[in-house]
PDB file of all heavy atoms in Angstrom:
ATOM      1  N   ALA A  39     -19.436  11.816  50.994  1.00 60.00           N
ATOM      2  CA  ALA A  39     -18.051  12.051  50.571  1.00 60.00           C
ATOM      3  C   ALA A  39     -17.397  10.726  50.139  1.00 60.00           C
ATOM      4  O   ALA A  39     -16.674  10.691  49.144  1.00 60.00           O
ATOM      5  CB  ALA A  39     -17.268  12.687  51.710  1.00 60.00           C
ATOM      6  N   ALA A  40     -17.675   9.675  50.897  1.00 60.00           N
ATOM      7  CA  ALA A  40     -17.109   8.365  50.544  1.00 60.00           C
ATOM      8  C   ALA A  40     -17.658   7.872  49.216  1.00 60.00           C
ATOM      9  O   ALA A  40     -16.931   7.337  48.382  1.00 60.00           O
ATOM     10  CB  ALA A  40     -17.420   7.349  51.657  1.00 60.00           C
ATOM     11  N   ALA A  41     -18.968   8.105  49.017  1.00 59.00           N
ATOM     12  CA  ALA A  41     -19.576   7.694  47.763  1.00 59.00           C
ATOM     13  C   ALA A  41     -18.986   8.473  46.587  1.00 59.00           C
ATOM     14  O   ALA A  41     -18.694   7.908  45.522  1.00 59.00           O
ATOM     15  CB  ALA A  41     -21.103   7.885  47.819  1.00 59.00           C
ATOM     16  N   LEU A  42     -18.803   9.778  46.788  1.00 62.00           N
ATOM     17  CA  LEU A  42     -18.219  10.594  45.715  1.00 62.00           C
ATOM     18  C   LEU A  42     -16.770  10.193  45.444  1.00 62.00           C
ATOM     19  O   LEU A  42     -16.346  10.122  44.276  1.00 62.00           O
ATOM     20  CB  LEU A  42     -18.281  12.067  46.115  1.00 62.00           C
ATOM     21  CG  LEU A  42     -19.678  12.696  46.103  1.00 62.00           C
ATOM     22  CD1 LEU A  42     -19.633  14.132  46.665  1.00 62.00           C
ATOM     23  CD2 LEU A  42     -20.259  12.705  44.704  1.00 62.00           C
ATOM     24  N   ALA A  43     -16.031   9.929  46.525  1.00 60.00           N
ATOM     25  CA  ALA A  43     -14.657   9.511  46.364  1.00 60.00           C
ATOM     26  C   ALA A  43     -14.565   8.184  45.583  1.00 60.00           C
ATOM     27  O   ALA A  43     -13.739   8.027  44.690  1.00 60.00           O
ATOM     28  CB  ALA A  43     -13.962   9.388  47.712  1.00 60.00           C
ATOM     29  N   TYR A  44     -15.428   7.235  45.965  1.00 59.00           N
ATOM     30  CA  TYR A  44     -15.420   5.967  45.278  1.00 59.00           C
ATOM     31  C   TYR A  44     -15.862   6.148  43.818  1.00 59.00           C
ATOM     32  O   TYR A  44     -15.279   5.530  42.909  1.00 59.00           O
ATOM     33  CB  TYR A  44     -16.366   4.969  45.957  1.00 59.00           C
ATOM     34  CG  TYR A  44     -16.490   3.672  45.184  1.00 59.00           C
ATOM     35  CD1 TYR A  44     -15.482   2.717  45.246  1.00 59.00           C
ATOM     36  CD2 TYR A  44     -17.581   3.442  44.363  1.00 59.00           C
ATOM     37  CE1 TYR A  44     -15.557   1.555  44.509  1.00 59.00           C
ATOM     38  CE2 TYR A  44     -17.674   2.285  43.617  1.00 59.00           C
ATOM     39  CZ  TYR A  44     -16.665   1.346  43.705  1.00 59.00           C
ATOM     40  OH  TYR A  44     -16.738   0.182  42.948  1.00 59.00           O
ATOM     41  N   GLY A  45     -16.894   6.992  43.627  1.00 60.00           N
ATOM     42  CA  GLY A  45     -17.363   7.240  42.255  1.00 60.00           C
ATOM     43  C   GLY A  45     -16.277   7.827  41.386  1.00 60.00           C
ATOM     44  O   GLY A  45     -16.082   7.425  40.234  1.00 60.00           O
ATOM     45  N   TRP A  46     -15.513   8.789  41.974  1.00 69.00           N
ATOM     46  CA  TRP A  46     -14.428   9.399  41.195  1.00 69.00           C
ATOM     47  C   TRP A  46     -13.320   8.404  40.926  1.00 69.00           C
ATOM     48  O   TRP A  46     -12.764   8.345  39.836  1.00 69.00           O
ATOM     49  CB  TRP A  46     -13.870  10.620  41.942  1.00 69.00           C
ATOM     50  CG  TRP A  46     -12.795  11.307  41.166  1.00 69.00           C
ATOM     51  CD1 TRP A  46     -11.474  11.305  41.377  1.00 69.00           C
ATOM     52  CD2 TRP A  46     -13.003  12.096  39.990  1.00 69.00           C
ATOM     53  NE1 TRP A  46     -10.814  12.027  40.433  1.00 69.00           N
ATOM     54  CE2 TRP A  46     -11.730  12.529  39.549  1.00 69.00           C
ATOM     55  CE3 TRP A  46     -14.152  12.481  39.271  1.00 69.00           C
ATOM     56  CZ2 TRP A  46     -11.571  13.322  38.442  1.00 69.00           C
ATOM     57  CZ3 TRP A  46     -13.975  13.267  38.139  1.00 69.00           C
ATOM     58  CH2 TRP A  46     -12.705  13.685  37.741  1.00 69.00           C
ATOM     59  N   TYR A  47     -13.024   7.574  41.953  1.00 69.00           N
ATOM     60  CA  TYR A  47     -12.002   6.529  41.763  1.00 69.00           C
ATOM     61  C   TYR A  47     -12.458   5.553  40.681  1.00 69.00           C
ATOM     62  O   TYR A  47     -11.676   5.190  39.791  1.00 69.00           O
ATOM     63  CB  TYR A  47     -11.785   5.781  43.075  1.00 69.00           C
ATOM     64  CG  TYR A  47     -11.075   4.467  42.913  1.00 69.00           C
ATOM     65  CD1 TYR A  47      -9.699   4.425  42.733  1.00 69.00           C
ATOM     66  CD2 TYR A  47     -11.788   3.267  42.898  1.00 69.00           C
ATOM     67  CE1 TYR A  47      -9.041   3.212  42.552  1.00 69.00           C
ATOM     68  CE2 TYR A  47     -11.141   2.047  42.716  1.00 69.00           C
ATOM     69  CZ  TYR A  47      -9.765   2.027  42.530  1.00 69.00           C
ATOM     70  OH  TYR A  47      -9.115   0.823  42.341  1.00 69.00           O
ATOM     71  N   ASP A  48     -13.731   5.145  40.738  1.00 74.00           N
ATOM     72  CA  ASP A  48     -14.228   4.196  39.761  1.00 74.00           C
ATOM     73  C   ASP A  48     -14.248   4.801  38.353  1.00 74.00           C
ATOM     74  O   ASP A  48     -13.911   4.114  37.378  1.00 74.00           O
ATOM     75  CB  ASP A  48     -15.636   3.726  40.154  1.00 74.00           C
ATOM     76  CG  ASP A  48     -16.058   2.488  39.415  1.00 74.00           C
ATOM     77  OD1 ASP A  48     -15.277   1.529  39.341  1.00 74.00           O
ATOM     78  OD2 ASP A  48     -17.201   2.464  38.877  1.00 74.00           O
ATOM     79  N   PHE A  49     -14.614   6.065  38.276  1.00 79.00           N
ATOM     80  CA  PHE A  49     -14.617   6.750  36.963  1.00 79.00           C
ATOM     81  C   PHE A  49     -13.206   6.861  36.420  1.00 79.00           C
ATOM     82  O   PHE A  49     -12.961   6.604  35.239  1.00 79.00           O
ATOM     83  CB  PHE A  49     -15.225   8.156  37.128  1.00 79.00           C
ATOM     84  CG  PHE A  49     -14.976   9.032  35.937  1.00 79.00           C
ATOM     85  CD1 PHE A  49     -15.680   8.873  34.760  1.00 79.00           C
ATOM     86  CD2 PHE A  49     -14.023  10.059  36.010  1.00 79.00           C
ATOM     87  CE1 PHE A  49     -15.432   9.689  33.655  1.00 79.00           C
ATOM     88  CE2 PHE A  49     -13.775  10.881  34.928  1.00 79.00           C
ATOM     89  CZ  PHE A  49     -14.488  10.703  33.745  1.00 79.00           C
ATOM     90  N   SER A  50     -12.240   7.218  37.287  1.00 83.00           N
ATOM     91  CA  SER A  50     -10.855   7.331  36.841  1.00 83.00           C
ATOM     92  C   SER A  50     -10.315   5.985  36.392  1.00 83.00           C
ATOM     93  O   SER A  50      -9.614   5.889  35.392  1.00 83.00           O
ATOM     94  CB  SER A  50      -9.985   7.876  37.974  1.00 83.00           C
ATOM     95  OG  SER A  50     -10.425   9.171  38.365  1.00 83.00           O
ATOM     96  N   ARG A  51     -10.678   4.919  37.136  1.00 88.00           N
ATOM     97  CA  ARG A  51     -10.262   3.568  36.756  1.00 88.00           C
ATOM     98  C   ARG A  51     -10.873   3.202  35.393  1.00 88.00           C
ATOM     99  O   ARG A  51     -10.175   2.646  34.536  1.00 88.00           O
ATOM    100  CB  ARG A  51     -10.737   2.574  37.801  1.00 88.00           C
ATOM    101  CG  ARG A  51     -10.393   1.131  37.470  1.00 88.00           C
ATOM    102  CD  ARG A  51     -11.247   0.172  38.287  1.00 88.00           C
ATOM    103  NE  ARG A  51     -12.664   0.418  38.029  1.00 88.00           N
ATOM    104  CZ  ARG A  51     -13.325   0.000  36.950  1.00 88.00           C
ATOM    105  NH1 ARG A  51     -12.674  -0.630  35.968  1.00 88.00           N
ATOM    106  NH2 ARG A  51     -14.597   0.271  36.794  1.00 88.00           N
ATOM    107  N   PHE A  52     -12.116   3.540  35.171  1.00 90.00           N
ATOM    108  CA  PHE A  52     -12.779   3.285  33.881  1.00 90.00           C
ATOM    109  C   PHE A  52     -12.048   3.969  32.747  1.00 90.00           C
ATOM    110  O   PHE A  52     -11.814   3.367  31.684  1.00 90.00           O
ATOM    111  CB  PHE A  52     -14.242   3.753  33.949  1.00 90.00           C
ATOM    112  CG  PHE A  52     -14.785   4.264  32.647  1.00 90.00           C
ATOM    113  CD1 PHE A  52     -15.144   3.414  31.622  1.00 90.00           C
ATOM    114  CD2 PHE A  52     -14.915   5.650  32.424  1.00 90.00           C
ATOM    115  CE1 PHE A  52     -15.619   3.901  30.413  1.00 90.00           C
ATOM    116  CE2 PHE A  52     -15.375   6.143  31.229  1.00 90.00           C
ATOM    117  CZ  PHE A  52     -15.744   5.253  30.214  1.00 90.00           C
ATOM    118  N   SER A  53     -11.697   5.226  32.931  1.00 88.00           N
ATOM    119  CA  SER A  53     -11.082   6.002  31.823  1.00 88.00           C
ATOM    120  C   SER A  53      -9.708   5.479  31.435  1.00 88.00           C
ATOM    121  O   SER A  53      -9.274   5.664  30.301  1.00 88.00           O
ATOM    122  CB  SER A  53     -10.991   7.485  32.206  1.00 88.00           C
ATOM    123  OG  SER A  53     -10.050   7.687  33.240  1.00 88.00           O
ATOM    124  N   ARG A  54      -9.025   4.808  32.393  1.00 89.00           N
ATOM    125  CA  ARG A  54      -7.673   4.314  32.133  1.00 89.00           C
ATOM    126  C   ARG A  54      -7.624   2.835  31.841  1.00 89.00           C
ATOM    127  O   ARG A  54      -6.615   2.319  31.329  1.00 89.00           O
ATOM    128  CB  ARG A  54      -6.755   4.604  33.320  1.00 89.00           C
ATOM    129  CG  ARG A  54      -6.555   6.091  33.638  1.00 89.00           C
ATOM    130  CD  ARG A  54      -5.447   6.254  34.648  1.00 89.00           C
ATOM    131  NE  ARG A  54      -5.733   5.530  35.879  1.00 89.00           N
ATOM    132  CZ  ARG A  54      -6.354   6.056  36.934  1.00 89.00           C
ATOM    133  NH1 ARG A  54      -6.784   7.322  36.885  1.00 89.00           N
ATOM    134  NH2 ARG A  54      -6.557   5.334  38.015  1.00 89.00           N
ATOM    135  N   ALA A  55      -8.681   2.106  32.172  1.00 91.00           N
ATOM    136  CA  ALA A  55      -8.661   0.657  31.986  1.00 91.00           C
ATOM    137  C   ALA A  55      -8.880   0.280  30.523  1.00 91.00           C
ATOM    138  O   ALA A  55      -9.710   0.903  29.835  1.00 91.00           O
ATOM    139  CB  ALA A  55      -9.755   0.024  32.856  1.00 91.00           C
TER     140      ALA A  55
END
Side-chain angles (χ1 to χ4, degrees):
L42 289 174
Y44 175 78
W46 183 254
Y47 164 79
D48 195 48
F49 166 75
S50 299
R51 179 199 57 78
F52 147 76
S53 68
R54 297 190 302 268

